[in-house]
């Protein structure tokens, strides 16, 4: 694949492409539409507004905003000015934002008006002070904030974009695991180019005729590619939704706006299928769907395909690699697997002793590709644990079959050892998901009376299904008929919901903590 030029600014690259179709819609949100021509004008003016605040190239600006047309304007405006946007999750705590302010040393913040009180509380706890705060969605409130739109309206655009290189720092994304402080993954201008060339073009084949809709928000690596990098590079239209992606909200937009490409996560696809008022197939215009964040159960993918006549491309990516690097692809979908490496990426499975895993053996997944983050900012220990030369450790365990397809075996810290043999929680969860009564399942290890590890399944049943001891017995036998006997869940607990991250990933560690406390 052709690399970007040495002197490269991703925002300038996008605006050059936008010049070819100025009247076409780049974005639509609940408040209206933004054409490619208007996007280019506002991005340049936003760059001027940030520079007028006294921000200098490579200084950071915190971007804490909901998915509206102002988000891409702010993000690209910062890149155009050579300023580094630090895009953060809108669902975090005051303590998280206080830490991010201090860790990033952001000089300014761009924040949705509804989140100003949260940011103010974080500023009060942080030792680091912001020089300026710009609000999205309404005028400044007089408490040290100003309207981003008003600043853009009177800003003088810079004569030219910042003279950045492909390897210059462009933006940060915070990645948080189950423990420890969030990690600031540092990405370059060139990284955006590479994800667009590999997944956006080679796998999705987006064109200017597409309308894309991502349930994953722009502040996630997955959502950033889905709703900014890929569609803007292809001249497509992107549908943005500020509210939480409930099945009802998602289906409404799928029907009303008629997107052709939809990006979701497994738990959302399951909830969409279970929605009592879900639309008929003929009411949609989808040509392809994508799932990431967590492995897609085989039964779920097949049910969605049968219901809507469109495949879900299951893939895996990470904040560190910026987007999907292992995926199914149109015309080559094997449900139950995560597919094959995306062109431009190399995959290795390594055993605990560091040697390559053979076909059929579980191994730690390592990936090599041009979109890898430079490091975790100011975190040498965790950077060294994740980035080893050109390789990045994903933290996931996989199995490769003889045909070259990779199947998810779980996170490294989720694996169970039952009767002396490793058990993949996802394998058991996938078997449970094939049962008609099961909406969601999460499997963890628990100790029995003798201190031995046994598999426990936490299950949410479908609407209208009654949870009972008889159903639990039925589910145990259902799994025993499909997997090796030692893998079936000895313990089954029915729950009304499973703990999840903002991206819809099931938090098994929360279930383990709950188990350790002895709560039900």
């Amino acid at each position: 694949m052709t690399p970007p030029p040495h002197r490269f600014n991703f925002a300038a690259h996008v605006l050059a492409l936008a010049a070819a179709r100025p009247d076409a819609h780049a974005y639509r949100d609940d408040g209206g539409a933004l054409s490619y021509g208007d996007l280019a004008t506002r991005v340049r003016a936003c760059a001027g507004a940030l520079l007028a605040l006294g921000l200098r190239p490579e200084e950071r600006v915190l971007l804490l905003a909901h998915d509206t047309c102002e988000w891409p304007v702010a993000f690209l405006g910062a890149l155009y000015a050579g300023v580094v946007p630090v895009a953060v999750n809108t669902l975090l705590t005051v303590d998280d934002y206080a830490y991010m302010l201090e860790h990033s040393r952001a000089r300014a913040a761009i924040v949705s008006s509804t989140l100003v009180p949260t940011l103010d509380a974080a500023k009060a706890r942080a030792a680091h002070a912001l020089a300026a705060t710009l609000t999205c969605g309404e005028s400044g409130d007089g408490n040290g904030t100003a309207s981003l739109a008003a600043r853009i309206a009177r800003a003088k655009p810079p004569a030219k974009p910042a003279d950045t290189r492909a390897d210059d720092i462009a933006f940060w994304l915070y990645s948080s695991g189950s423990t420890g402080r969030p990690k600031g993954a540092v990405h370059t201008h060139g990284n955006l180019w590479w994800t667009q060339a590999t997944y956006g073009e080679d796998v999705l084949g987006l064109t200017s005729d597409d309308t894309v809709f991502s349930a994953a928000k722009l502040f996630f690596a997955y959502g950033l590619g889905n709703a900014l990098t890929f569609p803007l590079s292809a001249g497509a239209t992107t549908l943005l939704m500020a509210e939480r992606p409930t099945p009802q909200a998602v289906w409404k937009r799928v029907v009303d706006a008629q997107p052709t490409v939809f990006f979701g996560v497994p738990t959302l696809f399951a909830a969409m299928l279970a929605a009592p008022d879900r639309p008929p197939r003929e009411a949609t215009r989808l040509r392809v769907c994508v799932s990431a964040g967590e492995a897609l159960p085989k039964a779920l993918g097949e049910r969605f395909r049968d219901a809507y006549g469109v495949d879900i491309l299951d893939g895996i990516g990470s904040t560190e690699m910026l987007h999907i690097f292992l995926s199914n692809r149109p015309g080559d979908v094997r449900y139950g697997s995560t597919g094959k490496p995306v062109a431009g990426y190399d995959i290795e499975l390594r055993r605990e002793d560091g040697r390559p895993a053979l076909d059929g053996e579980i191994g730690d997944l390592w990936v090599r590709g041009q979109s890898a983050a430079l490091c975790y900012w100011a975190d040498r220990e965790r950077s060294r644990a994740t980035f080893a030369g050109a390789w990045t450790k994903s933290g996931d365990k996989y199995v490769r079959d003889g045909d070259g397809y990779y199947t998810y075996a779980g996170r490294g810290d989720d694996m169970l050892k039952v009767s002396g043999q490793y058990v993949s929680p996802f394998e058991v969860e996938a078997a449970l998901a094939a049962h008609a009564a099961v909406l969601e399942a999460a499997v963890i290890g628990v100790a029995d009376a003798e201190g031995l590890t046994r598999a426990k399944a936490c299950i949410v049943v479908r609407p209208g299904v009654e949870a009972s001891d008889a159903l639990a017995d039925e589910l145990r036998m259902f799994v025993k008929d499909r997997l090796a006997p030692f893998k079936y869940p000895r313990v089954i607990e029915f729950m009304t919901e499973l703990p999840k991250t903002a991206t819809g990933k099931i938090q098994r560690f929360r279930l383990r903590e709950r188990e350790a406390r002895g709560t039900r």
Side-chain angles (χ1 to χ4, degrees):
M1 295 181 179
T2 304
H6 176 64
R7 295 287 175 179
F8 180 72
N9 181 295
F10 185 78
H13 165 71
V14 166
L15 299 195
L17 298 175
R21 48 197 327 264
D23 298 327
H25 283 175
Y27 285 98
R28 299 207 304 268
D29 65 12
D30 293 335
L34 183 66
S35 71
Y36 271 95
D38 287 340
L39 175 68
T41 298
R42 294 188 194 182
V43 165
R44 292 188 178 98
C46 181
L50 293 174
L51 294 173
L53 290 174
L55 294 176
R56 296 169 295 184
E58 300 183 10
E59 290 185 326
R60 271 81 69 189
V61 56
L62 195 79
L63 178 54
L64 174 60
H66 296 301
D67 278 23
T68 69
C69 290
E70 287 185 287
W71 202 104
V73 168
F75 182 85
L76 292 171
L79 265 58
Y80 196 87
V83 175
V84 177
V86 180
V88 298
N89 190 328
T90 59
L91 302 174
L92 300 181
T93 66
V94 169
D95 283 341
D96 287 325
Y97 297 132
Y99 170 77
M100 291 171 178
L101 286 172
E102 292 187 355
H103 181 249
S104 68
R105 297 194 184 99
R107 295 248 2 260
I110 298 173
V111 56
S112 287
S113 57
T114 55
L115 295 170
V116 168
T118 302
L119 181 62
D120 284 345
K123 288 159 59 178
R125 297 187 190 182
H128 177 74
L130 291 170
T133 301
L134 302 178
T135 58
C136 302
E138 64 177 26
S139 299
D141 60 11
N143 294 321
T145 67
S147 164
L148 175 65
R151 289 294 182 105
I152 287 175
R154 62 176 183 264
K156 180 180 179 181
K160 58 183 180 180
D163 184 21
T164 54
R165 293 160 294 196
D167 285 341
D168 278 343
I169 295 173
F171 62 99
W172 296 13
L173 297 172
Y174 273 99
S175 172
S176 180
S178 59
T179 60
R181 286 294 194 180
K183 298 167 289 188
V186 178
H187 281 286
T188 69
H189 285 267
N191 287 1
L192 293 163
W193 167 282
W194 284 111
T195 60
Q196 170 265 326
T198 54
Y199 194 83
E201 287 185 10
D202 192 55
V203 175
L204 293 180
L206 290 181
T207 73
S208 58
D209 293 329
D210 281 310
T211 296
V212 304
F213 176 32
S214 175
K217 301 300 184 180
L218 279 159
F219 53 73
F220 295 119
Y222 180 42
L224 182 64
N226 302 344
L228 188 144
T229 313
F230 304 159
L232 293 185
S233 297
T237 298
T238 301
L239 178 66
L240 295 178
M241 180 177 71
E243 66 180 289
R244 190 168 64 89
T246 63
Q248 293 73 24
V250 169
W251 277 131
K252 182 180 188 305
R253 286 158 178 83
V254 168
V255 172
D256 292 350
Q258 294 287 289
T260 55
V261 183
F262 174 68
F263 301 86
V265 296
T267 53
L268 177 58
F269 283 112
M272 290 168 66
L273 283 177
D277 54 351
R278 65 180 175 91
R281 178 190 299 191
E282 56 271 19
T284 70
R285 198 168 66 92
L286 296 170
R287 70 170 180 85
V288 68
C289 294
V290 179
S291 179
E294 197 159 45
L296 181 77
K298 179 176 186 290
L300 177 57
E302 291 173 342
R303 287 205 308 272
F304 195 92
R305 178 199 59 201
D306 294 344
Y308 288 96
V310 60
D311 275 316
I312 300 176
L313 307 182
D314 186 26
I316 181 174
S318 67
T319 303
E320 292 77 10
M321 295 304 297
L322 194 54
H323 211 272
I324 293 171
F325 51 80
L326 179 65
S327 182
N328 287 270
R329 56 192 307 138
D332 186 15
V333 174
R334 183 175 291 191
Y335 286 116
S337 85
T338 316
K340 297 180 177 181
V342 173
Y345 294 95
D346 298 315
I347 302 292
E348 282 189 1
L349 298 185
R350 302 178 186 177
R351 304 192 314 191
E352 290 182 359
D353 60 9
R355 291 187 293 175
L358 303 176
D359 287 351
E361 288 186 330
I362 293 176
D364 292 310
L365 188 150
W366 289 75
V367 56
R368 178 172 62 185
Q370 296 293 338
S371 64
L374 296 176
C375 63
Y376 298 131
W377 186 263
D379 197 337
R380 180 176 299 200
E381 181 179 353
R382 290 196 287 183
S383 291
R384 284 177 168 175
T386 299
F387 305 104
W391 291 91
T392 300
K393 184 178 182 179
S394 72
D396 297 288
K397 289 185 178 288
Y398 266 82
V399 178
R400 184 185 59 245
D401 67 18
D403 296 326
Y405 291 88
Y406 289 74
T407 299
Y408 182 66
R411 294 288 295 176
D413 53 3
D414 287 335
M415 294 296 290
L416 311 179
K417 203 164 191 179
V418 178
S419 300
Q421 302 178 72
Y422 276 113
V423 175
S424 162
F426 179 74
E427 184 182 18
V428 183
E429 291 163 6
L432 287 165
H435 193 284
V438 175
L439 177 63
E440 295 176 341
V443 173
I444 60 173
V446 297
D448 64 13
E450 298 178 349
L452 299 175
T453 299
R454 295 290 182 260
K456 173 181 177 176
C458 301
I459 291 173
V460 178
V461 297
R462 293 182 177 280
V465 175
E466 181 180 354
S468 65
D469 290 342
L471 177 58
D473 289 338
E474 181 181 333
L475 292 172
R476 291 188 188 95
M477 293 304 299
F478 187 80
V479 175
K480 288 178 73 174
D481 288 343
R482 286 157 176 78
L483 302 178
F486 68 91
K487 296 182 179 181
Y488 84 91
R490 266 60 167 186
V491 182
I492 289 180
E493 180 184 354
F494 294 106
M495 304 176 67
T496 56
E497 61 179 355
L498 297 176
K500 299 185 182 75
T501 67
T503 56
K505 293 182 182 179
I506 296 172
Q507 295 177 309
R508 292 166 187 80
F509 76 94
R510 297 289 185 200
L511 296 172
R512 291 195 293 268
E513 291 173 351
R514 179 174 174 270
E515 192 71 28
R517 293 194 301 268
T519 56
R520 294 289 185 273

PDB file of all heavy atoms in Angstrom, residues 150-165:
ATOM      1  N   ALA A 150     -19.476  30.658  18.077  1.00  0.00           N
ATOM      2  CA  ALA A 150     -19.258  32.105  17.987  1.00  0.00           C
ATOM      3  C   ALA A 150     -17.802  32.418  17.673  1.00  0.00           C
ATOM      4  O   ALA A 150     -17.504  33.322  16.872  1.00  0.00           O
ATOM      5  CB  ALA A 150     -19.675  32.775  19.293  1.00  0.00           C
ATOM      6  N   ARG A 151     -16.879  31.688  18.285  1.00  0.00           N
ATOM      7  CA  ARG A 151     -15.457  31.902  18.005  1.00  0.00           C
ATOM      8  C   ARG A 151     -15.132  31.554  16.549  1.00  0.00           C
ATOM      9  O   ARG A 151     -14.348  32.241  15.893  1.00  0.00           O
ATOM     10  CB  ARG A 151     -14.607  31.060  18.954  1.00  0.00           C
ATOM     11  CG  ARG A 151     -14.607  31.526  20.393  1.00  0.00           C
ATOM     12  CD  ARG A 151     -13.946  32.894  20.534  1.00  0.00           C
ATOM     13  NE  ARG A 151     -13.894  33.351  21.914  1.00  0.00           N
ATOM     14  CZ  ARG A 151     -12.808  33.369  22.659  1.00  0.00           C
ATOM     15  NH1 ARG A 151     -11.654  32.964  22.150  1.00  0.00           N
ATOM     16  NH2 ARG A 151     -12.851  33.806  23.898  1.00  0.00           N
ATOM     17  N   ILE A 152     -15.728  30.473  16.050  1.00  0.00           N
ATOM     18  CA  ILE A 152     -15.501  30.064  14.663  1.00  0.00           C
ATOM     19  C   ILE A 152     -16.027  31.129  13.704  1.00  0.00           C
ATOM     20  O   ILE A 152     -15.397  31.455  12.692  1.00  0.00           O
ATOM     21  CB  ILE A 152     -16.163  28.700  14.391  1.00  0.00           C
ATOM     22  CG1 ILE A 152     -15.360  27.582  15.063  1.00  0.00           C
ATOM     23  CG2 ILE A 152     -16.299  28.430  12.891  1.00  0.00           C
ATOM     24  CD1 ILE A 152     -15.990  26.209  14.946  1.00  0.00           C
ATOM     25  N   ALA A 153     -17.192  31.710  14.044  1.00  0.00           N
ATOM     26  CA  ALA A 153     -17.831  32.682  13.148  1.00  0.00           C
ATOM     27  C   ALA A 153     -16.976  33.919  12.930  1.00  0.00           C
ATOM     28  O   ALA A 153     -17.033  34.539  11.857  1.00  0.00           O
ATOM     29  CB  ALA A 153     -19.195  33.075  13.703  1.00  0.00           C
ATOM     30  N   ARG A 154     -16.176  34.288  13.927  1.00  0.00           N
ATOM     31  CA  ARG A 154     -15.386  35.503  13.764  1.00  0.00           C
ATOM     32  C   ARG A 154     -13.889  35.237  13.653  1.00  0.00           C
ATOM     33  O   ARG A 154     -13.082  36.179  13.662  1.00  0.00           O
ATOM     34  CB  ARG A 154     -15.659  36.465  14.925  1.00  0.00           C
ATOM     35  CG  ARG A 154     -15.284  35.953  16.300  1.00  0.00           C
ATOM     36  CD  ARG A 154     -15.515  37.053  17.338  1.00  0.00           C
ATOM     37  NE  ARG A 154     -15.121  36.670  18.675  1.00  0.00           N
ATOM     38  CZ  ARG A 154     -15.927  36.190  19.596  1.00  0.00           C
ATOM     39  NH1 ARG A 154     -17.213  36.006  19.296  1.00  0.00           N
ATOM     40  NH2 ARG A 154     -15.493  35.883  20.805  1.00  0.00           N
ATOM     41  N   ALA A 155     -13.507  33.964  13.559  1.00  0.00           N
ATOM     42  CA  ALA A 155     -12.085  33.628  13.499  1.00  0.00           C
ATOM     43  C   ALA A 155     -11.507  33.869  12.113  1.00  0.00           C
ATOM     44  O   ALA A 155     -12.205  33.770  11.097  1.00  0.00           O
ATOM     45  CB  ALA A 155     -11.880  32.165  13.893  1.00  0.00           C
ATOM     46  N   LYS A 156     -10.237  34.153  12.077  1.00  0.00           N
ATOM     47  CA  LYS A 156      -9.509  34.282  10.825  1.00  0.00           C
ATOM     48  C   LYS A 156      -8.786  32.961  10.566  1.00  0.00           C
ATOM     49  O   LYS A 156      -7.889  32.581  11.317  1.00  0.00           O
ATOM     50  CB  LYS A 156      -8.499  35.419  10.897  1.00  0.00           C
ATOM     51  CG  LYS A 156      -7.705  35.601   9.604  1.00  0.00           C
ATOM     52  CD  LYS A 156      -6.718  36.758   9.735  1.00  0.00           C
ATOM     53  CE  LYS A 156      -5.919  36.921   8.442  1.00  0.00           C
ATOM     54  NZ  LYS A 156      -4.930  38.032   8.553  1.00  0.00           N
ATOM     55  N   PRO A 157      -9.148  32.248   9.488  1.00  0.00           N
ATOM     56  CA  PRO A 157      -8.495  30.968   9.213  1.00  0.00           C
ATOM     57  C   PRO A 157      -7.013  31.167   8.930  1.00  0.00           C
ATOM     58  O   PRO A 157      -6.604  32.191   8.354  1.00  0.00           O
ATOM     59  CB  PRO A 157      -9.223  30.457   7.966  1.00  0.00           C
ATOM     60  CG  PRO A 157     -10.506  31.210   7.922  1.00  0.00           C
ATOM     61  CD  PRO A 157     -10.205  32.556   8.519  1.00  0.00           C
ATOM     62  N   PRO A 158      -6.189  30.221   9.326  1.00  0.00           N
ATOM     63  CA  PRO A 158      -4.765  30.327   8.989  1.00  0.00           C
ATOM     64  C   PRO A 158      -4.569  30.234   7.481  1.00  0.00           C
ATOM     65  O   PRO A 158      -5.381  29.640   6.761  1.00  0.00           O
ATOM     66  CB  PRO A 158      -4.136  29.141   9.714  1.00  0.00           C
ATOM     67  CG  PRO A 158      -5.252  28.181   9.945  1.00  0.00           C
ATOM     68  CD  PRO A 158      -6.490  28.999  10.099  1.00  0.00           C
ATOM     69  N   ALA A 159      -3.514  30.838   6.995  1.00  0.00           N
ATOM     70  CA  ALA A 159      -3.256  30.859   5.557  1.00  0.00           C
ATOM     71  C   ALA A 159      -3.028  29.465   5.004  1.00  0.00           C
ATOM     72  O   ALA A 159      -3.317  29.193   3.837  1.00  0.00           O
ATOM     73  CB  ALA A 159      -2.050  31.752   5.262  1.00  0.00           C
ATOM     74  N   LYS A 160      -2.520  28.573   5.834  1.00  0.00           N
ATOM     75  CA  LYS A 160      -2.257  27.202   5.398  1.00  0.00           C
ATOM     76  C   LYS A 160      -2.273  26.291   6.614  1.00  0.00           C
ATOM     77  O   LYS A 160      -2.166  26.765   7.759  1.00  0.00           O
ATOM     78  CB  LYS A 160      -0.913  27.108   4.678  1.00  0.00           C
ATOM     79  CG  LYS A 160       0.276  27.562   5.504  1.00  0.00           C
ATOM     80  CD  LYS A 160       1.560  27.507   4.699  1.00  0.00           C
ATOM     81  CE  LYS A 160       2.751  27.971   5.545  1.00  0.00           C
ATOM     82  NZ  LYS A 160       4.022  27.919   4.766  1.00  0.00           N
ATOM     83  N   PRO A 161      -2.432  24.995   6.393  1.00  0.00           N
ATOM     84  CA  PRO A 161      -2.441  24.073   7.537  1.00  0.00           C
ATOM     85  C   PRO A 161      -1.070  23.994   8.192  1.00  0.00           C
ATOM     86  O   PRO A 161      -0.055  24.370   7.596  1.00  0.00           O
ATOM     87  CB  PRO A 161      -2.831  22.736   6.907  1.00  0.00           C
ATOM     88  CG  PRO A 161      -2.375  22.844   5.488  1.00  0.00           C
ATOM     89  CD  PRO A 161      -2.596  24.286   5.116  1.00  0.00           C
ATOM     90  N   ALA A 162      -1.054  23.494   9.418  1.00  0.00           N
ATOM     91  CA  ALA A 162       0.217  23.284  10.112  1.00  0.00           C
ATOM     92  C   ALA A 162       1.094  22.345   9.292  1.00  0.00           C
ATOM     93  O   ALA A 162       0.617  21.369   8.705  1.00  0.00           O
ATOM     94  CB  ALA A 162      -0.040  22.688  11.489  1.00  0.00           C
ATOM     95  N   ASP A 163       2.365  22.647   9.244  1.00  0.00           N
ATOM     96  CA  ASP A 163       3.316  21.868   8.441  1.00  0.00           C
ATOM     97  C   ASP A 163       3.742  20.633   9.235  1.00  0.00           C
ATOM     98  O   ASP A 163       4.852  20.560   9.766  1.00  0.00           O
ATOM     99  CB  ASP A 163       4.523  22.731   8.087  1.00  0.00           C
ATOM    100  CG  ASP A 163       5.502  22.009   7.163  1.00  0.00           C
ATOM    101  OD1 ASP A 163       5.084  21.033   6.496  1.00  0.00           O
ATOM    102  OD2 ASP A 163       6.687  22.402   7.131  1.00  0.00           O
ATOM    103  N   THR A 164       2.827  19.672   9.327  1.00  0.00           N
ATOM    104  CA  THR A 164       3.089  18.457  10.094  1.00  0.00           C
ATOM    105  C   THR A 164       3.605  17.341   9.189  1.00  0.00           C
ATOM    106  O   THR A 164       3.404  17.345   7.974  1.00  0.00           O
ATOM    107  CB  THR A 164       1.820  17.972  10.808  1.00  0.00           C
ATOM    108  OG1 THR A 164       0.773  17.843   9.837  1.00  0.00           O
ATOM    109  CG2 THR A 164       1.394  18.946  11.876  1.00  0.00           C
ATOM    110  N   ARG A 165       4.246  16.375   9.841  1.00  0.00           N
ATOM    111  CA  ARG A 165       4.718  15.180   9.150  1.00  0.00           C
ATOM    112  C   ARG A 165       3.804  14.005   9.482  1.00  0.00           C
ATOM    113  O   ARG A 165       3.082  14.032  10.482  1.00  0.00           O
ATOM    114  CB  ARG A 165       6.152  14.867   9.568  1.00  0.00           C
ATOM    115  CG  ARG A 165       7.160  15.904   9.094  1.00  0.00           C
ATOM    116  CD  ARG A 165       8.442  15.850   9.881  1.00  0.00           C
ATOM    117  NE  ARG A 165       8.224  16.228  11.285  1.00  0.00           N
ATOM    118  CZ  ARG A 165       9.198  16.560  12.129  1.00  0.00           C
ATOM    119  NH1 ARG A 165      10.449  16.566  11.713  1.00  0.00           N
ATOM    120  NH2 ARG A 165       8.923  16.883  13.375  1.00  0.00           N
TER     121      ARG A 165
END
